Each structure stands twice: as C-alpha cells, then as structure tokens.
Amino acid sequence: MKALVLSGGSGTRLRPFSYSMPKQLIPIANRPVLEHVVENIRAIGVTDIGLIVGDRAAEIAAVIGDGSRLGVRICYLRQEAPLGLAHCVTVARDFLADDDFVMYLGDNMLPQGIAGPAERFRAERPAAQVVVHRVPDPRSFGVAEIRADGAVTRLVEKPERPVSDLALIGTYFFTSAVHEAVAAIEPSARGELEITDAIQWLVDAGHTVRAQEYHGYWRDTGRVEDVLDCNRELLDAVEWRVDGAVDDSSVLTGAVVVEPGAAVMRSRIEGPAVIGAGSLVADSRIGPHTSIGRDCVLRSAGIGYSVALDGARVTGVSGLHGSLIGRAADVTSSEGGSGRHRLVVGDHTRVEVAA
C-alpha cells in the first residue's frame, strides 16, 4: 500500500497565518500538523508517500525533506492549481501505479491513528472505503448514507436535509479501481474533480464501497479554534520531561515538557504545557494547554490555552488566553488597562496591549 497526502490547499480560514506559512505546517504540541499525519501513515506500515503540493512546495520540503527523518520516503507531486481531490489522484497516477493506497488530507488531525480503518480495508479490500465521523451538524460536510452492513449507498456534499450524521473526514482507502472512476467523472459546478463524485461513480457502477466509523478524536485544523483544541488534545497525552534549565524559584506542576536549551526562571508553569528548545520563560505564568515554540521569549507574561510559534516574544502582558501568536511576533504592554486578552497575531507582527 502507498499513501497520497494532500497539502496544496491555501488555508483561507486560517489567515493571517496561511499568508506566511502553509497551513499544514502549523504546529500542534510544537510539531507541524503534517508530521503528525506522516507518523499516522507510517504507523500502519506505509512508507511510500506521495505528497501533493502547490505554490508552497519549497516551504513544505524544507520541513519534511525526503521523509527519512520520519522513517518514510517522500515523493513530491506538483498540482498546478487546486482542481479538486480527485484531480490529485490523476496527478499521482504514475506514482500510485496499480497499488492500493490511503488518501489523507494534510491538515487533518487524528491523534488515535488510523490503524482500525487500515486493518479493515486490508482484510476486505472494497474498491473504496471512506472514514466517517458522527457530527452534530452534517450540513457543512460531505455525508455518507450507508446500509446496516456498512455499505455506502450514496454520498451527498453539504446536504440541506441530511439523512445521516456521518461526515467524511478526509481519509480514504482505494484500490486501483478508483482510477477508472476519476477518468469517468466531469468537473463539478465549482470546476473541480470531486472525490465524492468518483466514489459515487464506483457505487453506481456496482463496486463495493464501505464506510468505517471513526470513534477517536478528529479535527480539521482549518481554523484558529481547531488549532487550539487540537493542541489541548495532544498536550493531554504528554509526560513530564525537563531537558532544559529550571531554577529553584520556579514551580512546575502537572505534565510539563521543557525542551533542551530552554530556560525557566522565577516562573510558574501549570501543565500540560511544552516549552520549546532555546526559549526563555522569566517571571511569567504559563497556564495549562499551552505550547511555546522554539526560541521564544516570555518576560513578565501570563498565557494559557494558547500557542506561540517559533521566535515569538511576549513581554509585560498577562491574561492572554485562547491566543495564537505567530512566528517572531512581538506582543508588549502599553500603559493602562487590565483583564483577559485573546489575540490572533500573524508572523512578524508587533502588538501593544494595555496590560
């Protein structure tokens, strides 16, 4: 089996961050989303990965490289324009050959992995297997209608009146039968080759298509709120590890990770939290579910349930909560004011907050 990971999207819902970095490289628990995706794929025994990229190919390649650091082999496949998920299969046709493959959206977080769906697909080998998750409002998703035995009868994109609450979550398994389906469909009204149309073609042509319900945690990291929630979920699984320097005046409670080269001075950190390599936390309070990236500086700061990307600086500002602070952003205090602040600050930005 091979893997096809889709990482060419522009990430408009995650602006301003997606202006300056691919959304697939947003860190969750101090590691890019795309690294978590690759690790889930490697965990099911798949090491040949085709990575669909667009205009941000160089930035993604600079982080992921040839995959050897992650125990896989990466083949970069350029999609010149966002022409749909099924079009990605066409782009990857030579790479995929006639092998079975898993297709995985590169901004999806499934911390419990995909071993269950992979095992079922390998055992039964339907032409296609979609992974679905129950959602409270299916109208914003592609929805699978299934029989009691798990066979898919129909796929509906963002239905006005859903007859099912089983949403497609961006992980699919295919045999080579999908190539015939992709070649047979036409672009949708929005000018894209839709993977739902290709799967529906398989159903209508009499191929077996099955749905596997996913019971673990799942998020599409397309919004700031989703990034913060994913960060909380992953931090809940970290274990205490202090490889940096912590002075006697500091107090660390709960699961706290202080990476090599980081320094904590006269501060209180309530886990779960991660302090990235080379960062300085001085005279500050770090609340739970907070990730501080590499080479950050926090002085006289208070922050909780937040993510600070590499090189961010927070000085003299307390009460930050639910915030996402970009790379090399500088958040400082001005005179007057007090209370809780929620900031979404893009890369290389300077913000003064009444602290």
Side-chain angles (χ1 to χ4, degrees), residues 27 77 175 218 296:
L77 304 166
T175 67
W218 160 70
C296 295

Side-chain angles (χ1 to χ4, degrees), residues 27 35-36 54 61 77 93 109 111 116 123 127 130 151 163 166 182 224 241 252 254-255 269 285 294 305 322 335:
E35 285 194 9
H36 294 288
L77 304 166
R93 184 66 180 90
M109 287 293 297
V130 298
V163 300
L166 294 172
V182 168
V224 169
R241 189 180 80 248
L252 278 56
I269 302 177
R285 185 183 184 109
R294 296 185 300 270
Y305 190 67
E335 295 296 326

Side-chain angles (χ1 to χ4, degrees), residues 231-260:
N231 194 63
R232 174 197 57 77
E233 177 73 15
L234 265 68
L235 288 183
D236 276 339
V238 302
E239 298 180 355
W240 169 286
R241 189 180 80 248
V242 175
D243 296 320
V246 179
D247 71 3
D248 292 340
S249 300
S250 296
V251 177
L252 278 56
T253 60
V256 176
V257 175
V258 181
E259 295 182 347

Side-chain angles (χ1 to χ4, degrees), residues 125-147:
R125 289 197 72 243
Q129 177 179 287
V130 298
V131 182
V132 296
H133 188 83
R134 295 190 185 275
V135 297
D137 185 1
R139 291 175 297 175
S140 299
F141 300 91
V143 173
E145 298 178 8
I146 66 173
R147 296 199 306 254

